[in-house]
Amino acid sequence: MGTRTEDETGTGTGTGAETERDEMAVEATEADDVTEAESEAEAESEADSEAEAGKAVPGAGENPSGVGQGAAAVVSAALGLVSLTGSWLGTVAAARETLVGQLEVAADAGVATQVKEMYGDAWNTSAVWSGLFALTALIVGAAVLARPAFGTPARAAQAPWIKSVAWAGVVLGVIGLLLAVLKYTGVLLGLPATG
């Protein structure tokens, strides 16, 4: 493979140094050909392994960003916080109930009736709205946490911050729902006794 005979060189009258130089040049060319072939084979092998690794890594080929799940987790936490602090909608609904109570109560009604109609119904309405926000936060947070179980296995990976924020939404939703129930039933800050 690497040596040439006198027939291959074309003439048998070359010096030993020229023949040796020609043989070394042929061997170097053949070595370069082998090196190039090995390099190409390695490059193809690396490309194949990267393609297979891309399929094995969650979302490497599909580029899932998790934006929807992240946004839902943040919304869940925000709704849980709103259920604890109160919302504009709950405030407006409570004010409306106070106005309706003032319009329905007769001037000669007893103190207990006035307190219940003007303040008790508004308090309960505020509790209902807080409970609705808390329940929504709980449902959205739980849906974000359960989403990977219902997706494709390759996209099952979920960023840790999404899980953390979703758990925060679930916890705030549970606390908000508990407080809303206690507020509505009068266990927590119930109406004062009248007479």
Side-chain angles (χ1 to χ4, degrees):
M1 176 190 232
T3 59
R4 300 175 105 189
T5 61
E6 288 182 7
D7 293 337
E8 289 176 327
T9 59
T11 62
T13 60
T15 65
E18 289 177 356
T19 306
E20 192 173 313
R21 192 173 352 127
D22 290 342
E23 288 176 1
M24 288 173 51
V26 169
E27 287 177 3
T29 305
E30 289 176 355
D32 287 345
D33 291 343
V34 170
T35 306
E36 287 177 16
E38 288 175 355
S39 298
E40 289 176 6
E42 285 178 14
E44 289 176 8
S45 173
E46 287 176 7
D48 290 342
S49 65
E50 286 176 4
E52 289 176 11
K55 292 177 184 174
V57 173
E62 300 157 4
N63 193 18
S65 58
V67 172
Q69 292 180 27
V74 170
V75 166
S76 171
L79 288 173
L81 190 61
V82 166
S83 75
L84 295 176
T85 60
S87 67
W88 173 83
L89 193 56
T91 303
V92 169
R96 183 181 182 283
E97 281 299 319
T98 301
L99 180 62
V100 169
Q102 288 173 350
L103 293 174
E104 290 180 352
V105 171
D108 59 346
V111 176
T113 305
Q114 288 180 1
V115 168
K116 182 192 176 305
E117 289 297 325
M118 292 194 308
Y119 302 106
D121 290 345
W123 185 253
N124 289 342
T125 301
S126 176
V128 166
W129 281 104
S130 293
L132 288 175
F133 277 103
L135 185 62
T136 306
L138 181 63
I139 290 170
V140 171
V144 170
L145 291 172
R147 172 64 178 97
F150 297 105
T152 57
R155 296 182 69 180
Q158 192 176 49
W161 72 268
I162 293 175
K163 289 180 183 178
S164 299
V165 175
W167 273 114
V170 168
V171 169
L172 289 172
V174 168
I175 293 170
L177 195 57
L178 179 65
L179 291 176
V181 168
L182 292 175
K183 191 164 112 175
Y184 187 83
T185 58
V187 175
L188 178 69
L189 301 172
L191 291 175
T194 54

